[in-house]
Amino acid sequence: MPKEHTGLSLDGQGKPLWLSLEMTYRCPLKCSWCNNPLDFEDYAARELNTEEWKGVLRDGRELGALQLGFTGGEPLMRDDLEELVAYADGIGYYTNLITSGIGLTEERLLALKAAGLKQIQLSLQATKSEVTDALVGARAHALKLDAARLIKQHGFPMVLNMPVFKQNIGMIGEMVEWAAGLGIEYIEFANIQYYNWALLNRDELMPTLEQLREAERVVNEWRAKLGKAMTIYFVIPDYYEGRPKACMNGWGAIHLTVAPDGVAMPCQEARAIPGLEFQSVREKPLSWLWHESDLFRKYRGLDWLPEPCSSCSEKEKDFGGCRCQAFLLTGDAGNTDPACSRSPHHHLVQEAVAVAVKPIRFRKPLVKRSAQAVETAFMEG
């Protein structure tokens, strides 16, 4: 299957072009593919306060960050979101809200618009309420549709994000049709990456290659039909590609995430890797964390790459793939990403694909995002 983007590389010239603020890990939903940490409840009491987040915003601009994502968990669970959006807009960020839509009332939307919010990314899991609600563990579908209508009614550019897996991949055409009717400009079909909660549920979530090919055919039909009226992204899972994705365009290259407790990371999954030293903006300046910390320097650039990556002609395209995935599947973050067919560990990905497509097998219920569910899953595993 062809890659959605081939050979795309952004040179941030040592600057974090994209700053992602994980305002909180609190969320009203229980998605079984959530990429927040399994121990998410431990962070609630340690969230940065309003003034601390403003300090992060100032420091990020001084570093050169331009694009800003307010995310979570669910960022609308922070009462100071509007104040922080206004502050970010005032110092020159292009602001994005990444939300489930739960809690996005017209009053809050108007307040966010007045504060200077520029764009909203809304997640929607299915075109049918019974499917969405079952997947997210809450009666959320109608609320999400209302949020989408409000966003367009008040003139926001909008990205509709549909995480794709076995349970909803057959709804892609219906989703494009619905989004086009609402006037949505961008839609992203993101085949999920298997970290944290998604890894716990990988066997039940992963679609087959045949399903992916059919979905890609449907996407291409809609692209031809809609032309420039809508940009449709279809992010193919690297388990089927034979080559890893250039995760975050390389470790510590252009992306900077700040977790709810102020820990700065090259990506939101980095804490899955043990043995790394994670430091907070409460302890060190953001500039030092980005430029000097062992964490950001650990896998930055190309000099650290192992074989077969170090002699590979594609190393400047994929940077050896994802460090978190390498650790989660092989136990060593320094290994070549097993999604690569040249990796000595590629068999691990092939085995996972084989399980997912096996026609007759014992099917397990999805593990929903909750502290009790994790305890049960680990005891059973």
Side-chain angles (χ1 to χ4, degrees), residues 7 13 39 62 69 85 100 124 153 234 236 293 323 345 352:
Q13 298 179 333
D39 58 345
E62 290 177 5
V85 168
S100 69
L124 182 60
Q153 177 185 330
F234 185 71
I236 298 167
S293 69
R323 297 304 90 223
H345 303 282

Side-chain angles (χ1 to χ4, degrees), residues 129-175:
S129 60
E130 62 271 21
V131 179
T132 299
D133 294 349
L135 286 170
V136 303
R139 299 189 66 172
H141 187 79
L143 297 174
K144 287 173 172 286
L145 297 188
D146 288 344
R149 295 187 188 104
L150 280 174
I151 291 166
K152 294 313 302 173
Q153 177 185 330
H154 290 287
F156 279 97
M158 177 177 164
V159 178
L160 183 69
N161 176 273
M162 177 177 166
V164 177
F165 29 78
K166 187 180 298 180
Q167 289 80 355
N168 66 0
I169 194 168
M171 299 180 181
I172 280 180
E174 297 173 16
M175 188 66 81

Side-chain angles (χ1 to χ4, degrees), residues 119-123 157-161 184-188:
Q119 180 173 286
I120 298 177
Q121 177 178 308
L122 176 74
S123 64
M158 177 177 164
V159 178
L160 183 69
N161 176 273
I184 292 171
E185 301 91 344
Y186 305 93
I187 185 166
E188 178 182 21

Side-chain angles (χ1 to χ4, degrees), residues 55-246:
V56 171
L57 290 167
R58 287 193 301 272
D59 292 347
R61 281 295 291 130
E62 290 177 5
L63 277 170
L66 301 170
Q67 295 276 342
L68 173 65
F70 290 98
T71 183
E74 176 48 66
L76 288 166
M77 297 193 79
R78 290 279 304 215
D79 295 335
D80 56 357
L81 179 61
E82 291 85 347
E83 181 178 349
L84 291 171
V85 168
Y87 188 81
D89 180 68
I91 59 177
Y93 283 103
Y94 184 88
T95 51
N96 299 263
L97 174 64
I98 302 168
T99 178
S100 69
I102 309 304
L104 188 62
T105 62
E106 187 166 26
E107 181 181 5
R108 289 207 79 177
L109 188 64
L110 290 172
L112 287 165
K113 188 169 187 177
L117 184 66
K118 297 297 188 292
Q119 180 173 286
I120 298 177
Q121 177 178 308
L122 176 74
S123 64
L124 182 60
Q125 289 72 30
T127 53
K128 296 178 174 62
S129 60
E130 62 271 21
V131 179
T132 299
D133 294 349
L135 286 170
V136 303
R139 299 189 66 172
H141 187 79
L143 297 174
K144 287 173 172 286
L145 297 188
D146 288 344
R149 295 187 188 104
L150 280 174
I151 291 166
K152 294 313 302 173
Q153 177 185 330
H154 290 287
F156 279 97
M158 177 177 164
V159 178
L160 183 69
N161 176 273
M162 177 177 166
V164 177
F165 29 78
K166 187 180 298 180
Q167 289 80 355
N168 66 0
I169 194 168
M171 299 180 181
I172 280 180
E174 297 173 16
M175 188 66 81
V176 177
E177 185 174 15
W178 176 82
L182 198 61
I184 292 171
E185 301 91 344
Y186 305 93
I187 185 166
E188 178 182 21
F189 295 107
N191 283 278
I192 60 171
Q193 297 292 99
Y194 296 100
Y195 312 122
N196 296 339
W197 297 86
L199 187 60
L200 283 177
N201 292 290
R202 184 179 63 186
D203 292 350
E204 304 306 318
L205 293 172
M206 188 183 297
T208 66
L209 180 58
E210 289 71 24
Q211 287 176 310
L212 287 165
R213 284 175 171 159
E214 173 61 15
E216 189 174 37
R217 183 193 66 77
V218 171
V219 164
N220 286 333
E221 282 188 354
W222 276 104
R223 283 172 173 162
K225 181 177 181 178
L226 296 174
K228 295 182 179 179
M230 180 189 292
T231 299
I232 305 175
Y233 300 100
F234 185 71
V235 184
I236 298 167
D238 53 10
Y239 271 54
Y240 286 102
E241 284 189 291
R243 290 290 181 273
K245 288 182 168 56

Side-chain angles (χ1 to χ4, degrees), residues 155-358:
F156 279 97
M158 177 177 164
V159 178
L160 183 69
N161 176 273
M162 177 177 166
V164 177
F165 29 78
K166 187 180 298 180
Q167 289 80 355
N168 66 0
I169 194 168
M171 299 180 181
I172 280 180
E174 297 173 16
M175 188 66 81
V176 177
E177 185 174 15
W178 176 82
L182 198 61
I184 292 171
E185 301 91 344
Y186 305 93
I187 185 166
E188 178 182 21
F189 295 107
N191 283 278
I192 60 171
Q193 297 292 99
Y194 296 100
Y195 312 122
N196 296 339
W197 297 86
L199 187 60
L200 283 177
N201 292 290
R202 184 179 63 186
D203 292 350
E204 304 306 318
L205 293 172
M206 188 183 297
T208 66
L209 180 58
E210 289 71 24
Q211 287 176 310
L212 287 165
R213 284 175 171 159
E214 173 61 15
E216 189 174 37
R217 183 193 66 77
V218 171
V219 164
N220 286 333
E221 282 188 354
W222 276 104
R223 283 172 173 162
K225 181 177 181 178
L226 296 174
K228 295 182 179 179
M230 180 189 292
T231 299
I232 305 175
Y233 300 100
F234 185 71
V235 184
I236 298 167
D238 53 10
Y239 271 54
Y240 286 102
E241 284 189 291
R243 290 290 181 273
K245 288 182 168 56
C247 187
M248 299 299 178
N249 208 67
W251 180 278
I254 64 169
H255 188 98
L256 172 57
T257 291
V258 181
D261 58 349
V263 166
M265 300 179 289
C267 74
Q268 62 194 56
E269 308 299 336
R271 272 202 270 214
I273 303 174
L276 299 177
E277 183 179 6
F278 297 95
Q279 295 171 293
S280 169
V281 295
R282 288 168 168 156
E283 303 163 330
K284 295 283 188 178
L286 191 62
S287 176
W288 184 90
L289 293 170
W290 171 261
H291 288 295
E292 304 297 334
S293 69
D294 290 340
L295 175 64
F296 278 85
R297 293 159 64 99
K298 178 74 172 178
Y299 301 112
R300 182 177 269 158
L302 302 172
D303 292 343
W304 67 273
L305 288 172
E307 286 292 351
C309 298
S310 60
S311 58
C312 179
S313 61
E314 298 183 28
K315 65 183 178 183
E316 294 186 14
K317 295 179 181 179
D318 58 39
F319 311 103
C322 176
R323 297 304 90 223
C324 302
Q325 185 159 273
F327 168 74
L328 290 169
L329 297 186
T330 75
D332 185 346
N335 284 332
T336 300
D337 188 336
C340 182
S341 61
R342 299 171 182 171
S343 166
H345 303 282
H346 185 58
H347 66 278
L348 297 172
V349 166
Q350 294 175 307
E351 289 166 5
V353 169
V355 169
V357 303
K358 192 173 182 180

Side-chain angles (χ1 to χ4, degrees), residues 30 38 40-41 197 367-375:
K30 300 178 180 179
L38 298 179
F40 65 95
E41 287 191 332
W197 297 86
V367 179
K368 297 292 177 64
R369 178 186 187 265
S370 73
Q372 295 77 17
V374 172
E375 291 172 6

